[in-house]
Amino acid sequence: MSGSGVVGVGQRDEVVAVSAPDLVIDGCAVVTVDASGTEYRRGWVSVRGNRIEALGEGRPPAFGAETARIDGQGCLLTPGLVNTHHHLYQWITRGLAADSTLFEWLKTLYPVWARIDEKSVRVAATGALVSLARTGCTTSSDHHYLFPHGGGDLLGAEIAAAAEVGLRFHPARGSMDLGQSDGGLPPDDVVETIDDILAASTAAIELWHDPSPDAMVRIALAPCSPFSVTADLLRESAVLARSAGVRLHTHLAETVDELDFCRENFDCTPAEYMERLGWLGDDVWYAHGVHLDDHAIAAMARTGTGVAHCPTSNGRLGAGIARTADLVAAGIPVGLGVDGAASNESSSLIEEPRNALLYARAVGGPQTMTVRGALELATMGGARVLGRADDIGSIEPGKLADLALWRLDTPAHAGIEDPVVALILGSPPPLAALLVNGREVVRDGVVTTVDEASVGADVAQAQATLLASS
């Protein structure tokens, strides 16, 4: 652990005078994940409003009684974790098709998902977001691509859930227009027309997207996958997204089944197919990217195209092991995602850097990924993937106050000298506190913004109702 002095807004190399902040967290180890790798064995961070104001080694300045204080003794402070791929609605369909491949799993669950509606999505999203908050997540994306006819405002339901729980949210308005009758995988009753998709996508951007640096909600457009959408939808979604200044997202190269589908239908790999359609660029990120060849990695590196690596879900579905070390070495933005709760029942974001590290080392050896490299994937890596590197992902003056305070003085972590090793390789630790936009969302392992017991009961009831009607 290294670093010294006090760093304030606008000054990175000298002590600056600051008036009393709103909050100070002190007495903790601090891992900033900044470009210099600054760390403090015992440090502090002050917050004013929704932004980090200053940080330093040792004791903080003697702020007055008007400054709230969180005692970080025995804890590690990191940037809040960033979840770059999820399907929140699946929280009420966990535990199904537990031993299936991706295509088998989808065919089993599509008929169940066809019954979701605004009410059930609000319940599912709340449950999933609570789980993310309890595991250190401060910003989450979500890829919602399934809009059953007559289901109501499903995107609005999950945006409302994120506001209630208090997480920064990047919902991707997904879509499917290639049903089974046209050679796709999803049933015809869960696909939409291109005109309806583009109209709904335009409305979502106009209603919800906030391009400001402080944004709590940003919209992306996200046709689902090569086996559930048409080339026309992919092209037109890209044109719309770029004209509106929003990002693009899709599943890509997740399984061998997808490789076979693309070779049979398009005579190319999934990555080559997306390249043909203009889906490369620093405004694009792919979920999974398990089966990417050297050509695909070079093209993505050249264009700044990102990847949401989802190691737990990839293991759950037997999809394979992504070439994460090669992606990072090539300079590709790589973040982590829990993926949908029906393929990762715990949806614990703090487990993803550990699993990413273990998978990378399993195929490449112990030097392939360091513990700090894994933490960077979960923080700054995710911020880069979502286009928020200037706002979140590291602890630096002027950045948004999205912070995770991990308790490492538990019996499970006692004796592990390096706090980053304890966080990444040890048991998932409890949170002493989680701040999002300067607001406390978790205290002592409990989400403070909602009643967790009521959320759990609502989730159980929603799942029972959904399965009974399917």
Side-chain angles (χ1 to χ4, degrees):
M1 310 287 284
S2 63
S4 62
V6 179
V7 180
V9 175
Q11 294 284 116
R12 298 306 313 279
D13 57 0
E14 63 183 66
V15 175
V16 297
V18 294
S19 57
D22 298 313
L23 171 70
V24 63
I25 304 170
D26 73 335
C28 51
V30 180
V31 175
T32 68
V33 199
D34 67 8
S36 300
T38 305
E39 300 182 6
Y40 302 126
R41 171 62 66 180
R42 180 184 174 90
W44 59 273
V45 173
S46 65
V47 173
R48 182 184 299 275
N50 68 341
R51 292 194 174 270
I52 298 164
E53 185 168 63
L55 63 152
E57 179 80 74
R59 298 183 62 83
F63 300 121
E66 66 272 25
T67 297
R69 180 175 178 270
I70 296 177
D71 184 358
Q73 185 173 353
C75 298
L76 168 66
L77 186 68
T78 71
L81 307 187
V82 180
N83 181 34
T84 60
H85 185 65
H86 207 337
H87 307 293
L88 297 175
Y89 75 92
Q90 293 180 10
W91 191 255
I92 56 173
T93 59
R94 290 176 296 160
L96 306 177
D99 301 314
S100 298
T101 66
L102 174 65
F103 277 26
E104 293 168 345
W105 175 84
L106 285 170
K107 289 177 181 178
T108 299
L109 286 166
Y110 273 138
V112 180
W113 294 336
R115 304 292 184 267
I116 62 172
D117 59 16
E118 186 174 337
K119 180 180 179 181
S120 61
V121 167
R122 174 67 184 266
V123 170
T126 303
L129 291 162
V130 164
S131 177
L132 286 173
R134 293 180 74 253
T135 59
C137 178
T138 52
T139 297
S140 183
S141 65
D142 186 62
H143 186 180
H144 191 91
Y145 55 83
L146 196 129
F147 294 86
H149 304 278
D153 185 4
L154 306 188
L155 195 67
E158 63 177 18
I159 290 171
E164 181 182 18
V165 176
L167 296 194
R168 202 175 300 280
F169 195 41
H170 282 231
R173 205 296 176 179
S175 52
M176 298 190 296
D177 72 329
L178 187 66
Q180 286 178 341
S181 63
D182 294 319
L185 196 68
D188 290 345
D189 60 353
V190 296
V191 301
E192 304 171 277
T193 67
I194 290 182
D195 288 345
D196 287 345
I197 291 165
L198 296 176
S201 298
T202 299
I205 295 168
E206 292 175 348
L207 183 61
W208 299 111
H209 183 66
D210 180 359
S212 74
D214 289 12
M216 290 296 290
V217 178
R218 285 192 182 171
I219 298 293
L221 300 187
C224 185
S225 65
F227 51 82
S228 60
V229 304
T230 62
D232 286 341
L233 177 59
L234 286 164
R235 291 191 191 95
E236 294 191 36
S237 293
V239 169
L240 174 58
R242 285 165 176 154
S243 67
V246 303
R247 301 178 80 75
L248 287 163
H249 182 48
T250 192
H251 297 96
L252 198 77
E254 182 176 2
T255 67
V256 172
D257 287 341
E258 183 186 331
L259 288 177
D260 293 341
F261 180 92
C262 289
R263 286 177 177 136
E264 180 179 344
N265 288 275
F266 313 127
D267 194 29
C268 63
T269 68
E272 288 168 338
Y273 180 59
M274 300 307 288
E275 186 173 3
R276 290 178 189 174
L277 299 174
W279 270 67
L280 285 173
D282 60 7
D283 58 348
V284 178
W285 87 101
Y286 301 143
H288 304 296
V290 175
H291 301 281
L292 294 172
D293 59 19
D294 290 345
H295 172 81
I297 291 175
M300 292 169 65
R302 184 177 65 252
T303 57
T305 306
V307 172
H309 177 36
C310 305
T312 303
S313 175
N314 294 159
R316 157 64 151 95
L317 292 171
I321 299 176
R323 297 172 60 183
T324 315
D326 293 338
L327 297 173
V328 172
I332 291 170
V334 179
L336 298 178
V338 299
D339 202 7
S343 65
N344 178 1
E345 278 71 7
S346 70
S347 296
S348 169
L349 189 51
I350 188 54
E351 295 181 29
E352 297 304 327
R354 181 176 191 266
N355 287 341
L357 179 146
L358 295 180
Y359 280 27
R361 291 185 176 187
V363 296
Q367 304 303 316
T368 304
M369 184 179 294
T370 67
V371 291
R372 284 167 173 77
L375 178 60
E376 184 171 3
L377 292 183
T379 52
M380 274 305 299
R384 293 188 187 103
V385 165
L386 296 183
R388 301 297 297 270
D390 291 339
D391 310 320
I392 61 174
S394 62
I395 303 177
E396 300 182 73
K399 281 202 166 186
L400 293 165
D402 291 4
L403 301 166
L405 185 66
W406 306 94
R407 185 156 294 288
L408 296 179
D409 55 0
T410 72
H413 302 92
I416 303 178
E417 174 66 17
D418 186 328
V420 183
V421 172
L423 177 68
I424 300 300
L425 293 182
S427 300
L431 280 169
L434 185 77
L435 268 62
V436 183
N437 211 41
R439 176 194 182 197
E440 191 171 271
V441 173
V442 177
R443 172 58 74 98
D444 295 329
V446 177
V447 177
T448 59
T449 51
V450 297
D451 183 330
E452 289 193 52
S454 295
V455 170
D458 290 345
V459 166
Q461 181 59 55
Q463 183 179 52
T465 300
L466 185 65
L467 295 180
S469 66
S470 301

